[in-house]
Amino acid sequence: MNSETLHGVIAEPLDKIRIGRLRPESISVRLLVPDPSLPWSLPVTVEERADSPMFRKRAEEIMRRHTLAIVDSVTELAQLGLVNEATAQIRVHPAPPMFKLYLINNEEAFFGFYPVQEHVVSYGGETQAMYDLMGKDAILFHHSANDDDTSTGSQYVEQSKTWFESVWTTVAKDYQR
């Protein structure tokens, strides 16, 4: 939803590259997040079960902080000459965030549903009760591709890639920094 979890998880491998413990040739990170400029069907206010522009503004600030930190950390590695090529892209899409999905090297997928819980949110001096998506509470399921392309893990990774690419290349648009 806002790349907060990914920002925390990716810091360690990026730090290992910085200190020379890992030496990949290249790094490519693509982040696909919900568009905070459009109304959302979730999270919603508890009272009206309606989109909250205040909540989306708060979510955009969190998303901006974490996604741009990832982009800056990745691209800095190439600027420092620690990897030959490093790219990081952010795109936004119009769908509400119902799950998180991480694809690693087109071989592994980690997937988890966002549980919906009531949560009181404060922003700009206002508080609002929201039915919020609790990303840190999502349990991630791990799937790996292997030599058997008919195995559940291989099929799950392939379908996850297909879904990601379909959203990335059709309805998603570049996030404007």
Side-chain angles (χ1 to χ4, degrees):
M1 180 168 150
N2 59 29
S3 299
E4 186 176 11
T5 302
L6 180 61
H7 183 209
V9 170
I10 203 169
E12 183 180 351
L14 295 179
D15 286 346
K16 286 181 179 179
I17 294 168
R18 265 181 112 40
I19 62 172
R21 291 184 59 206
L22 287 176
R23 290 277 184 207
E25 283 291 312
S26 65
I27 301 170
S28 177
V29 176
R30 295 189 299 166
L31 306 165
L32 188 58
V33 292
D35 189 342
S37 71
L38 301 173
W40 289 349
S41 57
L42 271 174
V44 294
T45 60
V46 169
E47 212 168 284
E48 295 90 22
R49 290 194 166 88
D51 174 64
S52 169
M54 183 260 318
F55 183 91
R56 282 188 288 111
K57 183 69 177 158
R58 177 182 171 272
E60 180 177 17
E61 289 180 8
I62 294 168
M63 180 195 76
R64 182 187 233 20
R65 180 171 54 245
H66 292 289
T67 57
L68 294 180
I70 292 168
V71 169
D72 292 344
S73 295
V74 168
T75 56
E76 182 183 46
L77 295 174
Q79 293 165 350
L80 294 171
L82 298 172
V83 294
N84 292 335
E85 184 181 347
T87 60
Q89 299 171 275
I90 306 165
R91 286 201 168 176
V92 293
H93 62 86
M98 300 301 290
F99 58 87
K100 60 173 76 180
L101 172 66
Y102 303 105
L103 294 167
I104 302 171
N105 296 330
N106 291 323
E107 296 174 1
E108 295 183 78
F110 293 86
F111 176 89
F113 292 103
Y114 287 124
V116 178
Q117 295 178 354
E118 187 172 333
H119 179 206
V120 176
V121 176
S122 296
Y123 180 77
E126 290 183 50
T127 58
Q128 192 167 48
M130 300 291 299
Y131 284 124
D132 196 359
L133 298 157
M134 308 306 285
K136 288 193 174 192
D137 295 340
I139 305 270
L140 294 178
F141 297 96
H142 179 236
H143 303 275
S144 294
N146 56 46
D147 293 335
D148 179 3
D149 61 356
T150 64
S151 73
T152 301
S154 293
Q155 290 181 33
Y156 196 93
V157 171
E158 187 60 36
Q159 288 303 303
S160 296
K161 289 181 340 191
T162 299
W163 174 85
F164 184 92
E165 288 299 329
S166 71
V167 175
W168 186 268
T169 60
T170 59
V171 296
K173 62 183 181 182
D174 289 336
Y175 178 71
Q176 300 303 313
R177 192 172 191 151

